[in-house]
Every structure is written in C-alpha cells, then in structure tokens.
Amino acid sequence: MAHLLLLQATDNQRPLILPALELLSHEVLLLPPHGDSLAKAEHCELVLIDATGELVAARSLTQLVSSVLALPILLVVNEGGLTVLSPDWNLSDFVLPTASPSEVEARLRLLLMRSAAQHSPAAPESVGGLRIDELSYTAKIDQRVLDLTYKEFELLKYLSQFPGRVFTREQLLHEVWGYDYYGGTRTVDVHVRRLRAKLGTDHEQLIGTVRNVGYRFHVDSQ
C-alpha cells in the first residue's frame, strides 16, 4: 500500500477525479490544489494532480510540486488536455480519469519503483578525479580523504552529480540547504571557498565560478 497525495478541489463533496483509486488499497490524502498543501505531504510517496479543469493552473501547480517535493507526479487529465502537455510540465506520467483500476495500479507501481531506484544508496562514483561515497559520506581526491562538514559534502556531491551544469546561488541554497533555510546566498560562497581550500591548489578549479551567475563542477579543470 502506498501513501498518495491527491491535489484536487474538495468543495461540495466532489468525488475523486480518478474513481479507480476508490477500488485500490492505497491510502489517499486529499487536499486542495494549493502550494500550502505541500507542507502536509511529509509521508506521501507520490502526488496526483487534477488537470481536468483549468490547465494553466494545473501546469503551474505541477511545476511548483516538482520544485518543492522530490516525488513522482501523476497528472490526471482529460483526453482533450493531452495536446498541451510538454516537458516543462515536469510531470512523471499522466492518466485519464476513466482509466481502469488495473491501469492506475500499474502506473502507480511503475512510478514508485522508478522513484525508489533513483533514491537508493548509490555506489561510490568518480568524476573529475573526485570519488564520492554516499554510503560512508566520504569524498576522496587522489586517494586523499577530504575532511568535510555535512553541508560541504552535500554541496560537493550535488555539484558533482551535474558536471558542466551551472547553478545559481539561489538554486544551490534551495537544493542543498532546503526551502526552510532562511540564510542568505553568501552561505553558498563561504562553503565554496572552504571546499576549494580543502580540494587543494591542484583541484580547486573543479568548482568553477560563472561570473554573475553562480557555480558549476568543471571536470576538465585538471
């Protein structure tokens, strides 16, 4: 049994937009389609979003959910709305309201399995001469173990997962420190300076600065 968050209008005892859910054994938390509802999704494993009505609002909500929650998103949409779906919706899959219980169960199962695989502990990875081991929370460069704080490790790990991709300070602050962190972006600069110092002069350029934008992991710096 999975714990699902269903975002749809809850006024006037409106029935579920996906009737098949009532025939399945999953636990469904029904909340209104607002950003405030996301704070109550702590124990949920998947988010369903009602896109059978206003598509523009549904698109904005889907983008918000994908930026705040690291959970798969299943969009419930009418056949007429399929023509406007695009990658920038940031959804994981879609389903029609008339889908059978067996189809809905299959889509949910596949999404949950894919999500579990993505978030399973990773084996040590080496990129740009840097070796990250998430299991032991250690990082090595040239077989030298780096003495990193928790946030320094998280920042280095996050940057190294996306070689060449540029992140703004705001993005790094949200992704590494979280949306409940109220410190300024100077925190990112301080941690980058510390990381470069610990990487040493031979490897400090692994974390490159993109002027007026932010930082990136630069694998060709050696």
Side-chain angles (χ1 to χ4, degrees):
M1 181 182 71
H3 297 272
L4 313 175
L5 171 61
L6 173 57
L7 299 177
Q8 73 160 74
T10 57
D11 56 313
N12 299 323
Q13 300 299 313
R14 181 182 177 186
L16 294 183
I17 54 168
L18 196 57
L21 286 176
E22 297 179 318
L23 301 176
L24 300 176
S25 60
H26 302 298
E27 184 173 312
V28 180
L29 175 61
L30 178 61
L31 293 174
H34 305 303
D36 294 342
S37 298
L38 305 186
K40 304 176 182 179
E42 181 180 0
H43 301 294
C44 294
E45 302 167 70
L46 185 146
V47 182
L48 298 100
I49 296 178
D50 179 6
T52 60
E54 177 55 55
L55 290 171
V56 174
R59 177 176 174 271
S60 297
L61 180 60
T62 304
Q63 292 175 330
L64 174 63
V65 171
S66 68
S67 68
V68 174
L69 301 178
L71 297 176
I73 298 173
L74 181 61
L75 196 71
V76 185
V77 60
N78 291 321
E79 190 169 354
L82 297 179
T83 57
V84 303
L85 298 185
S86 62
D88 66 357
W89 279 65
N90 296 338
L91 57 93
S92 305
D93 198 1
F94 67 86
V95 66
L96 298 178
T98 54
S100 67
S102 59
E103 178 184 348
V104 173
E105 178 65 23
R107 290 182 183 274
L108 292 174
R109 184 178 68 254
L110 291 173
L111 287 176
L112 290 169
M113 290 174 62
R114 191 181 308 152
S115 177
Q118 291 175 345
H119 292 88
S120 61
E125 295 185 2
S126 180
V127 56
L130 175 72
R131 189 171 181 82
I132 299 283
D133 188 344
E134 294 187 45
L135 295 177
S136 62
Y137 263 78
T138 58
K140 294 181 179 179
I141 193 81
D142 291 341
Q143 301 304 312
R144 174 172 57 90
V145 178
L146 302 177
D147 182 18
L148 305 178
T149 65
Y150 175 77
K151 284 303 181 185
E152 289 169 352
F153 177 85
E154 288 293 310
L155 177 59
L156 183 61
K157 180 185 72 172
Y158 187 79
L159 286 170
S160 67
Q161 288 174 338
F162 305 94
R165 179 174 170 181
V166 180
F167 292 95
T168 65
R169 291 168 176 80
E170 289 78 9
Q171 287 175 317
L172 292 173
L173 198 65
H174 292 159
E175 294 295 337
V176 178
W177 279 263
Y179 280 83
D180 57 348
Y181 180 78
Y182 294 101
T185 55
R186 177 173 169 74
T187 297
V188 178
D189 297 329
V190 171
H191 279 72
V192 166
R193 285 200 300 271
R194 290 175 179 171
L195 276 176
R196 285 173 173 163
K198 293 180 179 182
L199 285 168
T201 55
D202 291 339
H203 302 283
E204 62 182 0
Q205 293 307 313
L206 279 173
I207 303 178
T209 299
V210 180
R211 189 173 182 180
N212 298 324
V213 182
Y215 299 103
R216 67 176 175 180
F217 192 83
H218 190 43
V219 294
D220 298 324
S221 62
Q222 299 187 61

